[in-house]
Amino acid sequence: MADPGSPATRDGPLTWGQQDIWRAVVAAAPQERYLNIARVFPAPKRPVTVERAALALERLVARHESLRTRLTGPRDAPLQRVWPTACPPYEVVESEPVESRPAGSVSVGAGPVESGAVGSGAVGSGLAEEVAERLAAEPFSYGEEWPLRVAFVVAGGYVRHIVLVLCHLAADGHAAELVVKDFRLLLLRDSLPPLRSATPRELAAWQHSPEGRRVSGEAIGFWLEEYARMDPVPPSSHVPGEPRFVEATMRSPALAAAAQAIAARNGVSSSTVLLAGAMRLAGGLTGQRFCGMRVIVNNRFAAGRRDVVSTISQEALVVLDLRTESFDALVRQAWGTALRAYRQAQYDPYAMEEAVTRVGPGIRSFGCFNDQRLVQEDGQVAVLEGKTEVARTDAMDRNICDFRLHVGGEPGRMEVSCYADTALLPPPGIEQYLLDLEGLIVEAART
């Protein structure tokens, strides 16, 4: 490994978004695997050999600085080290039936290795999903491992699916989609137009500049004003379970159509409808009239940041007055309030933590809301057939957040996950929260 002062590498501070993720890593370690971002996508229809896929990977890593970055320095104040070149290893996974190949036949780079994790008759996308789950199952080694794990699922001598698992320090959800888009194009072309967006190191440098500190200070001031509006949150009253944090996931065809119907009649997004519903239910749990929830914002509004491949998303604080004459009124309030809050989602997370801590333990926001759908289909959508399904999908012992709601899924079939501290909400309550969210929004869509 090169010395920090060597021209072969460059060290610099983390972006504010990376600092937020690092705080989450430290809080959840060694169970921070939940932060890994997995993407699976089919190869182009034109034949793609493993050699061509490997060349596209090489060009992808050369294109994006964040994919050539590791951490260095002390754990409590790490730096990002950018390398001029990098060669992340990749697996080649054969998808032929087990009878026609050695059990667990997987190649890494150019050399075959044994793996007991792939030994089923699954083919195509099903096998690719299995590989993605396996590659995402372990945390990254932040100082020694490149922040990208790759597998090519092969059938008939050609790549059929690509599996990417990204370290959250290298990419947020929007950046992951940009990486997938570039990889797809590189599988078809030999090159892409030069990047015009800022690099992670350039963003970090701006954030540490006088202008960046001014922006951070304004955001902190806004948050403190919003915290002053909020009602206290009562202490948790439940005995925590083991594991302490439990996730339940609901798949609902009805919720997607209902949220979009309410969005259409109020001229807002379906994400706003879901946020309003989530906060109304949160207020029912806490007894607050003025309730706050943190919302993930991708911070790519400026032209020079739209195509940034790094972690620059941060949280905005949305505070609502839950005492409204109707749910539609709450939705309209959430729309305007959220738009103002999104402008105040760039800040030094350590300075923010220090400022908010001084407010007092009883005045705090209730969890985090993250709509992970990159593109929302907010037109007319028919309700797909199928019943609502709710299942427990994960559990862990440590986490930085006591409550978070994730929205995803396919158009017409929404998927909502609720991850909560069992001291705040026992597992049956987590599942009921999701069902209540569906019930609230479906009923509101009918009125």
Side-chain angles (χ1 to χ4, degrees):
M1 180 177 291
D3 294 331
S6 166
T9 61
R10 298 181 182 179
D11 293 354
L14 274 61
T15 66
W16 290 333
Q18 288 174 313
Q19 290 176 23
D20 268 331
I21 295 301
W22 185 245
R23 292 169 64 240
V25 166
V26 171
Q31 298 177 319
E32 74 272 24
R33 64 186 182 280
Y34 81 96
L35 293 166
N36 295 342
I37 301 174
R39 294 290 185 268
V40 175
F41 60 95
K45 291 182 179 179
R46 61 173 290 181
V48 174
T49 63
V50 171
E51 291 73 18
R52 185 171 185 86
L55 181 59
L57 173 61
E58 179 183 326
R59 289 168 172 162
L60 180 77
V61 172
R63 179 176 176 81
H64 294 296
E65 178 182 284
S66 66
L67 305 182
R68 295 179 276 109
T69 300
R70 296 172 176 171
L71 292 193
T72 187
R75 182 176 175 82
D76 59 348
L79 299 173
Q80 56 179 326
R81 173 170 292 181
V82 182
W83 295 73
T85 60
C87 297
Y90 59 87
E91 293 188 7
V92 178
V93 183
E94 296 286 346
S95 65
E96 282 81 8
V98 174
E99 296 80 18
S100 66
R101 63 180 173 85
S105 178
V106 178
S107 297
V108 177
V113 298
E114 291 186 358
S115 171
V118 181
S120 71
V123 296
S125 61
L127 177 57
E129 293 290 348
E130 290 179 19
V131 174
E133 184 176 350
R134 172 171 58 83
L135 293 181
E138 295 295 331
F140 278 80
S141 180
Y142 308 103
E144 292 77 35
E145 183 182 2
W146 299 119
L148 177 65
R149 297 170 182 162
V150 183
F152 304 136
V153 179
V154 175
Y158 293 105
V159 177
R160 307 300 181 179
H161 286 83
I162 292 91
V163 178
L164 302 180
V165 175
L166 290 148
C167 175
H168 208 338
L169 288 166
D172 51 25
H174 189 95
E177 299 302 329
L178 293 172
V179 169
V180 169
K181 182 188 74 171
D182 281 357
F183 207 159
R184 285 180 185 272
L185 291 172
L186 287 166
L187 289 169
L188 294 169
R189 309 174 186 174
D190 292 329
S191 63
L192 292 176
L195 286 172
R196 299 186 182 277
S197 57
T199 67
R201 283 182 295 118
E202 290 169 344
L203 282 175
W206 174 83
Q207 290 166 351
H208 286 78
S209 72
E211 174 66 12
R213 289 193 292 271
R214 180 190 65 77
V215 169
S216 177
E218 289 180 357
I220 292 171
F222 172 84
W223 277 55
L224 293 179
E225 290 175 358
E226 293 301 285
Y227 268 96
R229 298 175 53 215
M230 289 166 49
D231 295 321
V233 177
S236 301
S237 58
H238 300 283
V239 177
E242 294 183 2
R244 172 118 187 200
F245 298 88
V246 171
E247 179 189 63
T249 299
M250 176 177 69
R251 295 174 179 86
S252 170
L255 182 59
Q260 292 181 23
I262 298 171
R265 76 184 184 211
N266 287 285
V268 302
S269 69
S270 60
S271 185
T272 301
V273 175
L274 294 165
L275 174 63
M279 293 186 67
R280 170 151 285 181
L281 293 178
L285 295 173
T286 63
Q288 293 172 287
R289 172 181 173 180
F290 291 92
C291 177
M293 187 171 279
R294 303 184 306 280
V295 181
I296 302 297
V297 181
N298 74 37
N299 283 331
R300 287 176 170 83
F301 307 116
R305 299 187 182 184
R306 288 174 188 162
D307 296 326
V308 172
V309 172
S310 182
T311 298
I312 66 173
S313 59
Q314 291 186 264
E315 295 174 342
L317 177 62
V318 176
V319 178
L320 297 182
D321 179 355
L322 301 179
R323 191 177 299 175
T324 59
E325 69 275 13
S326 67
F327 184 70
D328 278 26
L330 183 65
V331 166
R332 292 190 293 272
Q333 179 194 159
W335 175 255
T337 303
L339 288 179
R340 290 192 296 274
Y342 293 166
R343 301 188 185 101
Q344 305 294 341
Q346 296 184 76
Y347 48 83
D348 179 334
Y350 292 99
M352 177 68 79
E353 181 181 28
E354 180 181 354
V356 169
T357 299
R358 292 197 297 266
V359 172
I363 307 296
R364 61 184 179 87
S365 54
F366 185 93
C368 175
F369 177 90
N370 185 13
D371 190 339
Q372 297 177 308
R373 299 172 298 165
L374 188 63
V375 177
Q376 294 179 31
E377 299 291 342
D378 281 337
Q380 188 69 29
V381 172
V383 179
L384 299 180
E385 293 186 3
K387 295 181 180 180
T388 296
E389 300 174 354
V390 180
R392 297 182 193 177
T393 46
D394 202 1
M396 61 191 303
D397 298 313
R398 301 179 62 193
N399 204 292
I400 196 171
C401 184
D402 59 2
F403 182 95
R404 69 176 188 267
L405 208 66
H406 284 184
V407 181
E410 305 170 357
R413 189 181 298 277
M414 190 170 287
E415 185 174 289
V416 184
S417 296
C418 179
Y419 216 129
D421 185 344
T422 53
L424 174 69
L425 206 57
I430 298 171
E431 297 168 1
Q432 190 60 51
Y433 180 95
L434 292 170
L435 292 170
D436 289 346
L437 179 64
E438 179 191 53
L440 169 64
I441 293 177
V442 169
E443 179 61 29
R446 293 177 180 148
T447 59

